[in-house]
Amino acid sequence: MIAHALQFGGSLAAIVLLAWLARRLELGGDPRLRDPAEARRLASEALCGFEAQDVALDRAGIGALLRDSSGRVMLLRRHGARWVARLLDGHAGVRLDRTFMTVSTAEKTFGAITLDLGDQAQSWAGSLRRLG
């Protein structure tokens, strides 16, 4: 009986320890962009010197398009529980369907993402045609 209690207590302690460790390492979860300021901060962290002037957030917070003063456009998207960013070098991977814009890069491993940009989708699609 005591052996079973010790085994139960040890298992419970291990589960609590693993849960604490996962929380400490920020594993899992469902990160979302809350506001343009957060998107600007992440873009600046991804590329030193990138200061976004215009930001278009996905309505669900899963990604964003950002433009700096020199006209460079960055795609910011989730990758697991982290954020990744790439500069767009052309409009070949951009498709527009009403308020939804699907954006892919030349880098196949980065993948494509469909952003719901609402009323901003048309203007961003038009501006991306000037890239490359």
Side-chain angles (χ1 to χ4, degrees):
M1 184 71 154
I2 293 176
H4 288 302
L6 286 175
Q7 184 178 14
F8 176 75
S11 296
L12 185 60
I15 290 170
V16 169
L17 177 68
L18 288 174
W20 173 82
L21 184 62
R23 182 177 206 91
R24 178 98 170 124
L25 294 174
E26 298 177 6
L27 299 176
D30 188 21
R32 303 285 174 143
L33 292 170
R34 292 181 297 270
D35 55 33
E38 182 180 16
R40 284 184 175 94
R41 180 183 59 79
L42 290 168
S44 177
E45 289 174 4
L47 181 62
C48 185
F50 188 91
E51 293 185 29
Q53 303 296 317
D54 299 321
V55 178
L57 286 179
D58 174 76
R59 289 182 180 179
I62 62 168
L65 289 172
L66 303 98
R67 182 180 301 111
D68 70 358
S69 59
S70 62
R72 297 181 300 174
V73 177
M74 178 181 286
L75 171 62
L76 182 66
R77 65 170 288 191
R78 272 189 341 196
H79 182 72
R82 303 282 183 209
W83 295 97
V84 293
R86 296 293 186 273
L87 287 175
L88 299 179
D89 55 1
H91 69 281
V94 177
R95 290 189 321 273
L96 180 66
D97 182 18
R98 297 183 194 151
T99 63
F100 296 95
M101 182 183 298
T102 302
V103 182
S104 61
T105 65
E107 184 181 340
K108 297 298 180 196
T109 58
F110 189 72
I113 184 169
T114 300
L115 304 172
D116 183 358
L117 301 179
D119 296 338
Q120 299 179 29
Q122 295 285 337
S123 62
W124 275 88
S127 70
L128 291 177
R129 287 189 197 109
R130 291 182 235 132
L131 290 177

